[in-house]
Amino acid sequence: MLANIAIGLLCAVVDNIPVMYALLTMGPDISVEQWLLVILTAGVAGSFLSVGSSAGVEFMGLTRGIYTFSSRLKWTLVILLGYFASVVFHIWVNMW
């Protein structure tokens, strides 16, 4: 479970596609709940920093100075709290 959460955090810095491709080519034998956790963490963590998502990088390029890396950082703590809240909720739901 901790590795799946760490994979999500890696997706904050590296784009989700190469990280998920590397994970899929390893072919780990994990449960459906763990696969769902990986998908959840990779999807949410891509929003931590705009560099973790292709859409964020493209949007920064299109807005030229309006939406910058610095302006994005003010939301990082809120997104981080949402990330850990979603992980806790996922674990809580799958306990039953």
Side-chain angles (χ1 to χ4, degrees), residues 8-15 45-46 48-49 51-53:
L9 294 174
L10 179 65
C11 288
V13 180
V14 180
D15 190 27
F48 283 163
L49 306 172
V51 296
S53 85

Side-chain angles (χ1 to χ4, degrees), residues 11 14 16-17 19 35 44-45 49-50 53-54 64-65 75 80-81 85 90 94:
C11 288
V14 180
N16 300 354
I17 294 171
V19 173
W35 275 115
V44 175
L49 306 172
S50 56
S53 85
S54 300
R64 299 192 199 276
W75 294 103
L80 186 65
L81 291 173
H90 173 81
N94 286 303

